[in-house]
Amino acid sequence: MHHLILALTVTPSPNPSGTLRPGLSEDQVTPGTWGFVLTAFIVILTTFLIVDMVRRIRRVRYRAQVEEARLAAEEEAGNPAEGPAAGGASAGPAGGASDENDDAGPRTR
């Protein structure tokens, strides 16, 4: 078996000159102009899709960072204000209700 594989790899091709077989033309073995146009269109379309995807991912990442910064700022601003308000019984549920509404998640536009 190994001898057969070795013989096939070492045996030269029957037509080493590089010309086409009889009956074949150059148009039958190359993609031609339409093949090039279609391939170029697919490459351009893929490039636009990748650029759009990167833009959308970046936008989502920035929105998440802004939301985290906003929540951190609210938390820092809310802690000193809760200290004196913690003595009042009515301040607790009202503060909790507004936090639930503000923390509903990222807002879509």
Side-chain angles (χ1 to χ4, degrees), residues 74-94:
E74 283 181 2
E75 188 175 299
E76 288 176 8
N79 286 340
E82 287 179 4
S90 64

Side-chain angles (χ1 to χ4, degrees), residues 32-44:
T33 305
W34 285 109
F36 173 76
V37 169
L38 184 62
T39 304
F41 176 75
I42 290 172
V43 167
I44 291 170

Side-chain angles (χ1 to χ4, degrees), residues 60 63-64 67 70 102-109:
V60 167
R63 285 182 182 172
E67 185 69 20
R70 184 185 67 82
D102 289 341
D103 295 338
R107 297 179 189 106
T108 57
R109 295 181 189 201

Side-chain angles (χ1 to χ4, degrees), residues 33-70:
T33 305
W34 285 109
F36 173 76
V37 169
L38 184 62
T39 304
F41 176 75
I42 290 172
V43 167
I44 291 170
L45 181 67
T46 304
T47 303
F48 282 131
L49 286 174
I50 290 172
V51 167
D52 184 55
M53 180 187 65
V54 167
R55 184 182 306 139
R56 289 174 188 264
I57 290 173
R58 186 178 302 138
R59 188 179 307 148
V60 167
R61 187 178 300 144
Y62 288 157
R63 285 182 182 172
Q65 288 175 353
V66 168
E67 185 69 20
E68 287 176 6
R70 184 185 67 82

